[in-house]
Amino acid sequence: MGISRGGAAPRAGATLWALLAAVVLAGCGLVAEQDGQAPRSAGSASQSPGSGPASAPATARAASPTPTPGKGPGCPAVRCTTVLVTGDMLVHDELWQQAQQDAAVSGAPGMDFGPLLEGQRRYINNSDLAICHQETPVAGPDGPFSSYPSFNVPPQIIPATKQVGYQACTTGSNHTIDRGTDGLLRTLDALDAAGLKHTGSYRTENESHGILMMQTPAAKIAVIQATYGLNGLLPEYPWQVDMLDAPAMIAKAEKARAAGADIVLAAMHAGDEYASEPNAQQQEVARALVDSGQFNLVYGHHTHSVQPIENYKGTWIVYSLGNSVTELSPWYVVNNEGLLVRVQFGQDPSGKWSATDLAWAPSVIVRDPYRWCSVGADAPQGQCAGPDADAATRQRTRTVVESRGAGAAGARELLITREP
């Protein structure tokens, strides 16, 4: 992708990075798991659920769940949790040049991507779990750096992603192996070092069989992600990147449920670039995932354009979130726009989780300086590209988002300034 113009043995430091990441997550009160190992909330006792003299009977716990409203909108159930997702993190030359300029101002060494992402913080803070999509492999701290068609971007984008509040990123895309196994490993190492969990690409075959599960205060959330292709490249090992395949994703979801997942999300990297409608593959796979009964939300990225939100058989499908960050395209206005989506899930008296609210915020990338900017009707960052341009982006986004009845089904614009 780009402005489209568009197993291997783990490194010796991989285990150390994993341990460091676990420590960071524990300190944030959010614990993740892979390979079926059950997570514990930070600070909880080490005994297993139901063990020890202080444990209450399972029936009593089920009958009297602890009220957990979660962040975001008012919870219509006893327990709720919210998940925020955004589109492609697509770093081009102009973005790292901006990061160098911002570092010169802030005094940070080398590059500072924080100001580019800062506008997202308010939305992330009002969500229990935030997931990004790391589109491209990263280079070493000093490069060499490159953008389209073979990306090798500054790794400083990753700690900035963590600092603005994300807890996890998906990593499977058509650019994942632009720099081969070395680039894939560098990216996963950098994510681990920053304390960001990840799924979609893997260091080892054993790791590829694991399921990423994140624990929020109210629920255990599994994330399953795959890409439609690799730009004609072949991975060194077939298990290094999850490819888009409905039966394989459903099998992972069933495994996640068996391991205790309350909520399962599917992320699809697929579609036609700059298109405002999903293609046949997107629709076929997304609906097959919903039809399986294993997924609570299906969402996508890759197209560099916002696509419709659809409520299909009671489950939300967000076909494409567009770009989260990218340099401006002079040819495709949709490339410069994106969608931030937050979904609230609630648990009914029977214990079943389902979406109780879906809210979206339209965004645009502006330059001089480069920034992510919300063009929501409440203008939380003030003017972005100008009143007329902002209104046009918001209207264009709404028209596409609601083209399949999302508004009538309950999807709404997220007005973050009106929340506590």
Side-chain angles (χ1 to χ4, degrees):
M1 300 188 343
I3 293 180
S4 294
R5 300 172 293 182
R11 290 178 173 172
T15 302
L16 176 59
W17 287 128
L19 290 172
L20 288 173
V23 171
V24 172
L25 283 169
C28 295
L30 185 75
V31 181
E33 67 164 276
Q34 282 185 294
D35 295 327
Q37 298 173 359
R40 301 194 310 274
S41 297
S44 66
S46 60
Q47 62 191 29
S48 60
S51 66
S55 297
T59 53
R61 289 199 301 275
S64 304
T66 303
T68 312
K71 294 182 179 180
C75 178
V78 174
R79 298 167 66 81
C80 286
T81 195
T82 50
V83 180
L84 177 147
V85 292
T86 53
D88 299 321
M89 302 276 285
L90 194 58
V91 178
H92 286 271
D93 307 54
E94 291 185 16
L95 293 191
W96 69 69
Q97 291 165 9
Q98 180 66 63
Q100 290 170 332
Q101 295 171 24
D102 287 328
V105 172
S106 68
M111 297 185 193
D112 184 0
F113 286 96
L116 172 69
L117 301 173
E118 183 59 32
Q120 298 179 1
R121 185 184 300 276
R122 192 168 185 177
Y123 294 93
I124 292 171
N125 285 346
N126 266 27
S127 306
D128 292 312
L129 174 63
I131 304 169
C132 84
H133 178 64
Q134 178 57 42
E135 167 87 8
T136 61
V138 301
D142 300 318
F145 306 129
S146 66
S147 55
Y148 183 84
S150 181
F151 285 88
N152 202 36
V153 309
Q156 292 89 340
I157 185 64
I158 289 179
T161 302
K162 173 65 176 180
Q163 289 161 11
V164 81
Y166 287 97
Q167 295 108 322
C169 297
T170 55
T171 57
S173 84
N174 53 315
H175 289 291
T176 299
I177 59 168
D178 277 4
R179 296 296 166 145
T181 295
D182 285 347
L184 183 154
L185 294 174
R186 276 196 306 271
T187 305
L188 301 185
D189 285 351
L191 288 162
D192 283 346
L196 284 163
K197 306 307 291 184
H198 47 83
T199 190
S201 60
Y202 311 97
R203 297 182 185 87
T204 67
E205 184 171 8
N206 184 58
E207 189 176 275
S208 73
H209 296 311
I211 308 293
L212 174 62
M213 290 201 276
M214 309 290 287
Q215 181 71 51
T216 71
K220 184 186 289 187
I221 300 173
V223 183
I224 295 164
Q225 194 257 322
T227 178
Y228 77 98
L230 298 168
N231 287 347
L233 301 176
L234 294 176
E236 185 175 358
Y237 300 98
W239 44 259
Q240 286 182 311
V241 187
D242 280 332
M243 305 307 294
L244 194 62
D245 177 77
M249 296 178 77
I250 292 167
K252 275 200 166 186
E254 291 170 344
K255 183 176 179 180
R257 297 284 185 187
D262 300 301
I263 297 163
V264 182
L265 314 179
M268 307 192 315
H269 194 77
D272 298 328
E273 293 185 347
Y274 312 117
S276 295
E277 281 291 323
N279 66 18
Q281 182 187 43
Q282 286 173 279
Q283 293 182 87
E284 179 182 345
V285 174
R287 292 181 176 185
L289 298 180
V290 173
D291 287 340
S292 74
Q294 296 297 321
F295 293 89
N296 301 90
L297 171 71
V298 179
Y299 71 95
H301 26 67
H302 166 67
T303 67
H304 309 303
S305 55
V306 171
Q307 292 190 341
I309 297 176
E310 175 181 60
N311 191 288
Y312 173 70
K313 297 183 178 179
T315 296
W316 290 110
I317 300 172
V318 181
Y319 281 106
S320 181
L321 296 157
N323 286 324
S324 176
V325 296
T326 185
E327 71 180 13
L328 293 186
S329 168
W331 304 286
Y332 302 102
V333 65
V334 295
N335 177 85
N336 310 328
E337 301 170 344
L339 199 63
L340 176 153
V341 170
R342 187 186 67 189
V343 184
Q344 180 192 68
F345 298 95
Q347 185 182 34
D348 68 20
S350 72
K352 181 181 178 180
W353 288 85
S354 60
T356 55
D357 181 74
L358 184 145
W360 52 269
S363 66
V364 66
I365 293 294
V366 296
R367 62 180 300 172
D368 300 324
Y370 264 104
R371 299 290 186 259
W372 180 94
C373 194
S374 170
V375 292
D378 57 341
Q381 296 170 257
Q383 182 175 289
C384 294
D388 292 342
D390 291 356
T393 293
R394 185 167 57 254
Q395 184 56 49
R396 186 163 44 245
T397 301
R398 179 182 295 278
T399 299
V400 172
V401 164
E402 296 183 345
S403 63
R404 294 194 174 200
R412 62 185 179 88
E413 185 177 350
L414 175 52
L415 304 176
I416 197 67
T417 64
R418 301 181 188 176
E419 294 188 349

